[in-house]
Amino acid sequence: MQPVSDVIVVGGGLAGLTSAIHLSRAGLHVIVVEKHQFPRHKVCGEYISNEVLPYLQWLGADPAVLQPAQIDRVSISAVTGKMVETPLPMGGFGISRYALDQFLMEQAVNNGCELLEDTVTDIVFEHNRFIVSTADHGMLTARFVFGAYGKRAALDQQLDRSFLKERSPWLAIKGHYRGSFPDGLVALHNFRGGYCGVSKVENEIINICYLVSYDTFKQFKNIDTHRQEVLHRNKHLQQIFENSEPLFERPLTISQVSFAEKEKVDRHILMTGDTAGLIHPLCGNGMAMAIHSAKIASEQVLQFFEGNIPSRSILENNYTKAWKKEFGKRIGAGKILSALFRKDRLSAAVMKGLVLFPALLPVIIKQTHGRPLKVNS
């Protein structure tokens, strides 16, 4: 068994890599265990609110070097095609996970993080430390473990997490395209049984990512048929797809996407990003929340190592409270918005109200976004 590390991060996505950068720049010994090779594409909306930009810059991981697409407007359409557009409060940027995760991984490794390409098979907490079992590297030990392995994984079953008991009826589909789409815009187009986000990332690539309930999707033979018969009924989506060329051989998919409540600390593991909780993609803010959650967890652990938090139980309680304070209302607002847009009549009524009173849309958006993150100088 290897020497005890300060922190093992399970998962090399946004939350995992951001926390690894934060902790390692403070001098902790961090191991990141990621089962996939870098770089790789992921099912993701690939839009990030500027609220996290000061934090990324403070970490020395300014994404500007990747030349992301700058986004300053948002449009929303109902199933009928009725649409409203407004300036996006605070703005954001579009960057592919293929580019961003690779970039963050390189920053973490440059900071001295140890990156293992391996699969975690079990995590046990005993004698005030963690034993992390891996497929290829045997057992690793650490004082803290961050869970950052995404929306759903076999490890959730191994840990017997409670959210698995609830039905997960969502399917997520994503692809990259070449075509004509306005600069500076993120569009959220609704269709029967789901909604679709469209925006540019780096190199003028268009990212199209949508969420659909499996109950409506299963009526069709495949993704292409469903797109033709359902998504194209929204004229804006039809126009986008018919004037775009796919860059992937086939779209990426994730099934059983769950928006159920998840434990923020489970068996003393600090859960971050989608592993701690998922906001509906309609809100377009999941990537920023993942990065922000990594900041909260990292700050708590660093305070513990500095002696400012006297016990693990207090740290865990602090993290849970901070997570719920920052994200609880956002996730609640996301559930309400998702429920409204899943019902055709309610969706039509909401869109009618937004067309008549477009100033309401920025107010709604602010309910699912935060303020620019404060960082220590």
Side-chain angles (χ1 to χ4, degrees), residues 30-314:
V30 182
I31 297 176
V32 178
V33 185
E34 166 56 46
K35 64 181 179 180
H36 296 291
Q37 287 185 333
F38 289 91
R40 60 186 287 262
H41 291 287
K42 294 182 180 179
V43 178
C44 179
E46 299 186 329
Y47 158 80
I48 305 182
S49 166
N50 277 338
E51 67 193 72
V52 299
L53 194 53
Y55 174 53
L56 291 174
Q57 292 168 337
W58 178 79
L59 288 176
D62 190 341
V65 299
L66 302 175
Q67 299 184 315
Q70 299 302 311
I71 297 173
D72 57 17
R73 306 184 321 281
V74 60
S75 64
I76 297 179
S77 76
V79 176
T80 59
K82 185 173 290 187
M83 185 166 68
V84 63
E85 182 175 320
T86 186
L88 186 62
M90 204 177 342
F93 55 95
I95 186 73
S96 71
R97 294 294 300 276
Y98 188 91
L100 182 58
D101 287 12
Q102 174 73 15
F103 171 69
L104 294 176
M105 181 272 288
E106 291 171 355
Q107 304 308 307
V109 171
N110 289 341
N111 278 5
C113 288
E114 187 176 351
L115 177 65
L116 301 181
E117 185 181 322
D118 205 343
T119 299
V120 172
T121 57
D122 197 12
I123 303 173
V124 176
F125 181 77
E126 60 183 20
H127 306 306
N128 205 34
R129 68 175 184 174
F130 290 91
I131 300 174
V132 178
S133 299
T134 66
D136 298 325
H137 290 82
M139 290 188 292
L140 311 173
T141 57
R143 296 182 68 182
F144 288 93
V145 167
F146 284 17
Y149 48 84
K151 301 173 180 64
R152 191 184 188 96
L155 189 56
D156 287 318
Q157 294 182 333
Q158 182 65 29
L159 296 173
D160 193 28
R161 300 190 70 195
S162 61
F163 81 91
L164 295 174
K165 298 179 176 65
E166 296 192 33
R167 186 168 174 261
S168 306
W170 294 98
L171 172 69
I173 301 168
K174 170 258 185 73
H176 279 175
Y177 297 80
R178 289 280 184 196
S180 177
F181 188 77
D183 291 337
L185 179 70
V186 57
L188 298 167
H189 297 301
N190 286 268
F191 57 87
R192 183 172 62 86
Y195 36 83
C196 178
V198 187
S199 59
K200 284 185 177 179
V201 293
E202 74 278 4
N203 300 322
E204 294 294 311
I205 293 170
I206 302 169
N207 180 60
I208 301 179
C209 188
Y210 58 96
L211 191 74
V212 55
S213 69
Y214 186 73
D215 288 343
T216 59
F217 178 82
K218 68 183 181 182
Q219 304 169 31
F220 302 89
K221 293 181 180 179
N222 51 46
I223 291 174
D224 290 339
T225 303
H226 175 261
R227 185 180 69 238
Q228 292 284 339
E229 297 293 330
V230 179
L231 273 70
H232 283 197
R233 292 188 181 183
N234 183 317
K235 62 182 181 181
H236 304 291
L237 282 174
Q238 181 182 11
Q239 183 179 25
I240 290 168
F241 277 111
E242 289 184 347
N243 291 280
S244 300
E245 176 186 356
L247 299 180
F248 294 170
E249 183 176 346
R250 60 180 61 86
L252 305 179
T253 63
I254 294 179
S255 61
Q256 294 184 303
V257 178
S258 174
F259 297 98
E261 177 76 15
K262 296 180 179 179
E263 299 86 351
K264 317 314 169 194
V265 180
D266 200 333
R267 292 158 182 77
H268 302 287
I269 304 166
L270 301 182
M271 301 300 187
T272 61
D274 291 346
T275 316
L278 202 59
I279 192 168
H280 277 266
L282 178 69
C283 305
N285 207 31
M287 292 176 73
M289 284 177 53
I291 293 168
H292 190 172
S293 71
K295 177 178 184 288
I296 297 170
S298 298
E299 288 174 341
Q300 292 295 321
V301 168
L302 288 176
Q303 287 187 52
F304 179 89
F305 276 99
E306 292 165 1
N308 297 322
I309 296 179
S311 69
R312 187 182 296 272
S313 61
I314 292 175

Side-chain angles (χ1 to χ4, degrees), residues 170 190 193-195 211 259 280 282-283 331-348 350:
W170 294 98
N190 286 268
Y195 36 83
L211 191 74
F259 297 98
H280 277 266
L282 178 69
C283 305
I331 288 182
K335 288 180 179 178
I336 293 171
L337 289 173
S338 175
L340 288 175
F341 278 99
R342 285 205 308 272
K343 300 181 184 300
D344 292 347
R345 290 185 179 179
L346 280 175
S347 173
V350 170

